[in-house]
Amino acid sequence: MLNLFVSIAVVAWFVLLYGMARQNLVTATRPLDLRPAVPIALAATFAYMPHVFNVERENGQAVLEEGLTASNILLVILTGLTWLYLLSRVFRDQRILRVPFSMPYLPFTLLIVMDGVSALWSIVPTYTIYRTAEVSAFTFASILIFDRSDIARRLADILAIFIGVWLIVIIPVIVTSLANGIVFSSGKNNMTPFICFALAMLVAVDRTQARRLPYFVLAVVGFIVAGSASSTGALVAIVPGLMIASARRSVRALGIVTTVATVVVFLVLMLSISMFPELLELVSTVLQKPAEEIANGTGRGSFWPIFLEATRDRLVGSGYSAGDRFLDVIIAQSDPSGVAATQNVGLASAHNMFLSAWAGLGLIGLCFAFVVLTNAIRWGLKLDLPGRRFVVCCMLMLILNGMTTPGIFQDWNVNILGFVALLAYARVGALRQPGHAVPVPVAGRRPVPARAAAGWRTI
């Protein structure tokens, strides 16, 4: 009963405080239109360095016992360099600081702020503080990459760069897999399918895009190389996504119902596909994976109950990122019954972005997850038909794929990069719609270049 009252109080305070924060902190700014080369290089290096140099850990809490590895230290240095670059940009143009507080970035910015605040009750405060610095640095860098007035034309090029760099980096892995007869998921990476899907969807729905066929082929190749059973299953997001993007209200309503049904069916099949042996055999053959691995959800069916049992009484979480990474510490503190209390789980992730939100910030995290995701979809619906189809389908794919990946609520990864790209695309596209105005830069700030101001309404 106490947990129920606390839950109601947390949700009520979230609604109140989020509403106040949104009303008082939201800004309206022009697109930044900065040169993207440096932030692209920083983000790509951080995202793909582990594929080149990474010291493996046997369990999630090894960093507490053994300290940082050489690869950890390199990533910390890269995060520091990124912050130095960001601060240098802010020093030259303070307008940059306003952009993360403009819609639709604001909810995710507030989530990052809350991530930092969670260090006050984190089980490993230092880890939470560092991960907050990391996610804020590279999310900010992602905004600098994508927040531009020509994003509709440049987005495909930028996504293609990230996919191309990833494919080049993992060539040795691909060659080894192909030599063993493995084609699908020959360079498995659960994060990359999302940006591959985004690129394919963009060039498929927008006929004005240049290089549509080469980019579509690149996206398909990247998806096949990176794909997993869950990312392949998440492709069904296209159906409800196209329905929600429809101009007809009845079709949109049916699309919402279809989305809920799709999520339920997706979870049931992911955890109980063994109940359908013929489907299991088909999926196993197509994806070139053992039927036992698919039937077990790669272990998720066994460790999710342990995860939920250990965190059920932590209504405000255990600290951003630390709640995922140090589950063994939580288990030791909460002392759940039976096997879970005595076994070393050794997990570094919940492998579910909603469980990551719950582990880090508890009910606050789940409330933010709802606001962040629905806000992105709502802004996508402000666009024209191709834009609506692109944003909504990508968001639903992100949600479904996030059922088995950290998604956007654990550490920074290319899913967050792709998510920021969608927000920038929706923001710039919505501001171009009639009835939206972009304020003139205030006195004392660098004027917007003429090329960036073209086509923008001002007040």
Side-chain angles (χ1 to χ4, degrees):
M1 183 62 70
L2 177 61
N3 282 353
L4 176 61
F5 285 134
V6 173
S7 300
I8 294 174
V10 170
V11 174
W13 275 104
F14 174 84
V15 173
L16 176 64
L17 295 178
Y18 172 77
M20 293 174 58
R22 185 184 184 282
Q23 183 176 3
N24 290 283
L25 295 178
V26 67
T27 63
T29 58
R30 295 178 184 273
L32 290 174
D33 287 300
L34 301 178
R35 294 179 178 177
V38 174
I40 285 177
L42 290 169
T45 302
F46 184 87
Y48 301 133
M49 181 181 290
H51 296 291
V52 178
F53 175 63
N54 184 40
V55 178
E56 296 290 341
R57 297 284 199 182
E58 293 185 0
N59 62 72
Q61 60 178 333
V63 66
L64 299 179
E65 303 166 353
E66 305 169 9
L68 298 177
T69 65
S71 57
N72 294 149
I73 293 173
L74 284 177
L75 293 179
V76 171
I77 292 173
L78 188 57
T79 300
L81 291 175
T82 302
W83 267 116
L84 288 176
Y85 168 76
L86 294 173
L87 292 174
S88 70
R89 296 300 314 186
V90 170
F91 180 77
R92 283 182 282 177
D93 184 2
Q94 295 182 7
R95 179 177 62 101
I96 294 174
L97 285 176
R98 295 168 55 86
V99 176
F101 292 91
S102 62
M103 293 296 285
Y105 301 128
L106 179 60
F108 198 69
T109 300
L110 293 177
L111 172 59
I112 293 175
V113 172
M114 196 65 215
D115 290 339
V117 173
S118 70
L120 296 174
W121 61 84
S122 172
I123 56 173
V124 186
T126 305
Y127 188 81
T128 294
I129 292 171
Y130 166 70
R131 285 300 189 187
T132 302
E134 180 185 277
V135 73
S136 57
F138 288 100
T139 300
F140 201 172
S142 300
I143 292 175
L144 267 57
I145 293 171
F146 295 108
D147 196 79
R148 48 195 318 106
S149 54
D150 60 351
I151 186 61
R153 179 173 60 86
R154 298 286 295 277
L155 179 56
D157 297 331
I158 298 173
L159 292 178
I161 290 173
F162 279 93
I163 296 171
V165 169
W166 176 73
L167 286 172
I168 292 172
V169 165
I170 64 163
I171 284 178
V173 178
I174 296 174
V175 171
T176 301
S177 296
L178 292 177
N180 293 325
I182 299 174
V183 177
F184 186 87
S185 194
S186 54
K188 184 176 180 180
N189 185 298
N190 287 339
M191 306 301 174
T192 304
F194 174 60
I195 61 172
C196 294
F197 177 86
L199 176 59
M201 198 70 200
L202 178 61
V203 297
V205 301
D206 186 355
R207 297 184 178 181
T208 65
Q209 294 290 323
R211 298 173 288 278
R212 293 179 70 198
L213 181 58
Y215 281 168
F216 187 81
V217 172
L218 174 66
V220 171
V221 170
F223 191 93
I224 292 174
V225 171
S228 64
S230 59
S231 62
T232 304
L235 293 177
V236 299
I238 295 175
V239 176
L242 293 178
M243 297 172 70
I244 293 176
S246 172
R248 298 177 60 180
R249 183 174 300 179
S250 58
V251 177
R252 291 201 302 269
L254 182 59
I256 294 174
V257 175
T258 305
T259 299
V260 175
T262 300
V263 171
V264 172
V265 172
F266 185 86
L267 285 173
V268 169
L269 289 179
M270 185 176 65
L271 297 176
S272 306
I273 194 172
S274 57
M275 298 172 58
F276 309 93
E278 294 182 358
L279 178 60
L280 175 61
E281 184 64 28
L282 175 62
V283 173
S284 174
T285 302
V286 172
L287 302 186
Q288 296 180 292
K289 292 180 177 293
E292 296 78 11
E293 177 181 333
I294 297 175
N296 192 34
T298 320
R300 293 174 177 86
S302 59
F303 68 69
W304 278 352
I306 298 174
F307 188 95
L308 292 171
E309 175 68 18
T311 60
R312 65 177 182 176
D313 293 324
R314 295 176 178 265
L315 300 182
V316 292
S318 304
Y320 169 66
S321 196
D324 284 72
R325 186 63 180 266
F326 306 113
L327 181 59
D328 286 322
V329 176
I330 298 176
I331 289 176
Q333 292 179 357
S334 58
D335 191 30
S337 61
V339 178
T342 58
Q343 71 182 51
N344 179 19
V345 180
L347 295 177
S349 170
H351 293 280
N352 181 295
M353 71 177 185
F354 298 101
L355 290 183
S356 292
W358 164 257
L361 300 178
L363 291 172
I364 301 172
L366 293 180
C367 289
F368 263 116
F370 175 80
V371 170
V372 166
L373 295 173
T374 56
N375 171 73
I377 293 174
R378 186 168 58 86
W379 271 75
L381 292 175
K382 297 175 182 286
L383 308 178
D384 56 14
L385 182 59
R388 293 198 303 270
R389 287 175 170 174
F390 169 60
V391 174
V392 176
C393 287
C394 286
M395 285 305 303
L396 295 186
M397 197 276 182
L398 174 65
I399 292 171
L400 288 180
N401 195 44
M403 296 295 177
T404 59
T405 69
I408 60 174
F409 299 132
Q410 195 191 17
D411 307 333
W412 188 88
N413 55 69
V414 292
N415 275 354
I416 296 180
L417 177 90
F419 177 67
V420 172
L422 294 180
L423 295 182
Y425 183 92
R427 163 175 138 84
V428 174
L431 290 176
R432 287 196 181 278
Q433 301 299 314
H436 289 271
V438 181
V440 177
V442 299
R445 289 181 180 154
R446 187 181 67 181
V448 176
R451 68 179 186 277
W456 290 92
R457 298 168 58 88
T458 59
I459 57 174

